[in-house]
Amino acid sequence: MARRWTNTLTPEDVTPEAAFWNRRQIIAGMAGMGLASLAGPVRAAEGDLEPNSWDDVTSYCNFYEFGTGKSDPKTYAGRMTTSPWSVKIDGLVDKPGDYDFQQILGEMTIEERIYRFRCVEAWSMVVPWNGFELADLLNMAGVQEGAKYVAFETLYRPEEMPGTAYRVLDWPYREGLRLDEAMHPLTLMATGIFGKPLPNQNGAPLRLVVPWKYGFKSIKSIVRITLTDQEPPTSWNMANAREYGFYSNVNPNVDHPRWSQATERRIGSGMFASREPTLMFNGYEEEVASLYAGMDLTKQF
Ligand code: MTE
């Protein structure tokens, strides 16, 4: 079942000119891929560019459990066993327990969503994800009143993860979202890319994708999801709070202390391609800006 994220954006909406031109390019791009029938009204942010290649997406990765080099995950993640796989859902839920991944898959509606993926190191990719809405999984477990945050943990299995011998991060890798962010329909639990199951280096068998946040929020190979009333600790924030905040929203106006976040380099676009301006909330401003109304995003970054 393939569905693209659509909305009712018209050319007169936010950043009118860019949106207008982007839409024209996307629809042209999709027609070229034989996907025109699925296009419908296409989001400006996701479709202005064609997806990256399978090689870009699976060879240039961050998965520090397998090493800090971009090619380490592809080289070493093959040794991670991903079957059987279960996900513990606990904390403030009606039905806590260990859920088998295949059982979860059977209950969820798998869709295809093309999202721009923006890394804090100022590069980006466009990835066709397959997956289901995190909200569906949380609703299945039954979120209790009082839950305000969702905490995630990655598998920690040192014998299969050579990178965990180094304490670059405090293992297991941890991430978190506020409950309203987690329940937002754009927030995906990805189970595949390009219509195929996730390769290990991309976080098999399931990982988070939050398209308006920097890539490091997209925690891979998830084994635990906990509903809590406290903001959970997150790996990058624990490692360096000055550089990595809890929210991690893509924001061209708030620089990372060591890099400008105003522009990005599209992976695979060639050495001489010009950098592109980064969009507020990675282009999903219309959908998510209201979640942060009244917050000072220079302080809560
Ligand atoms: N999840 C785990 N468990 N370990 C990691 O090191 N790296 C993060 C995120 N999820 C990471 C992780 C970072 S920094 C990025 S940019 C994305 O994964 C990269 O996802 P990709 O390799 O599929 O592009």
Side-chain angles (χ1 to χ4, degrees), residues 61-65 117 119 154 173 202 207 215-216 218-220:
C61 297
N62 275 332
F63 200 163
Y64 276 25
E65 286 86 334
F117 188 75
C119 187
T154 293
Y173 194 99
N202 296 98
R207 56 95 58 87
F216 66 88
S218 295
I219 181 171
K220 296 177 170 182

Side-chain angles (χ1 to χ4, degrees), residues 80-296:
M80 174 172 65
T81 323
T82 59
S83 175
W85 190 274
S86 78
V87 181
K88 180 184 286 301
I89 306 184
D90 61 358
L92 298 169
V93 288
D94 295 335
K95 289 180 272 178
D98 294 308
Y99 289 83
D100 180 69
F101 174 63
Q102 292 303 328
Q103 175 200 342
I104 292 175
L105 264 192
E107 310 250 339
M108 299 292 142
T109 305
I110 303 288
E111 307 177 5
E112 181 185 87
R113 304 266 185 95
I114 299 178
Y115 288 154
R116 181 192 296 255
F117 188 75
R118 173 66 161 74
C119 187
V120 73
E121 294 158 324
W123 51 264
S124 65
M125 287 190 201
V126 177
V127 182
W129 300 103
N130 306 95
F132 53 84
E133 289 179 16
L134 174 60
D136 290 345
L137 181 64
L138 298 180
N139 287 334
M140 183 187 85
V143 178
Q144 292 184 343
E145 214 169 304
K148 294 197 182 77
Y149 295 90
V150 187
F152 303 86
E153 268 179 38
T154 293
L155 176 73
Y156 174 61
R157 198 180 283 152
E159 64 278 19
E160 294 181 0
M161 298 176 144
T164 60
Y166 306 92
R167 305 225 41 101
V168 276
L169 293 172
D170 187 7
W171 315 110
Y173 194 99
R174 269 162 277 191
E175 256 311 333
L177 294 174
R178 222 168 53 190
L179 184 62
D180 56 347
E181 299 176 322
M183 297 300 274
H184 194 282
L186 282 173
T187 303
L188 215 61
M189 290 297 270
T191 57
I193 50 173
F194 296 91
K196 301 187 181 120
L198 275 178
N200 283 3
Q201 62 265 37
N202 296 98
L206 89 164
R207 56 95 58 87
L208 185 67
V209 180
V210 192
W212 69 94
K213 293 181 182 275
Y214 291 109
F216 66 88
K217 293 299 273 188
S218 295
I219 181 171
K220 296 177 170 182
S221 305
I222 294 167
V223 293
R224 186 170 180 193
I225 299 175
T226 308
L227 279 289
T228 113
D229 58 0
Q230 307 280 325
E231 184 182 291
T234 64
S235 289
W236 284 101
N237 183 256
M238 288 189 289
N240 190 339
R242 203 174 78 88
E243 298 192 6
Y244 307 102
F246 177 78
Y247 284 93
S248 316
N249 290 320
V250 174
N251 189 338
N253 309 315
V254 177
D255 286 338
H256 181 277
R258 288 183 282 142
W259 302 284
S260 162
Q261 296 295 357
T263 64
E264 63 201 57
R265 179 178 65 90
R266 173 87 190 281
I267 295 294
S269 60
M271 277 181 56
F272 303 108
S274 57
R275 300 180 67 86
E276 300 162 27
T278 289
L279 302 172
M280 188 66 197
F281 296 115
N282 211 19
Y284 301 91
E285 186 169 19
E286 181 82 1
E287 289 86 356
V288 303
S290 61
L291 299 177
Y292 310 103
M295 285 172 56
D296 179 351

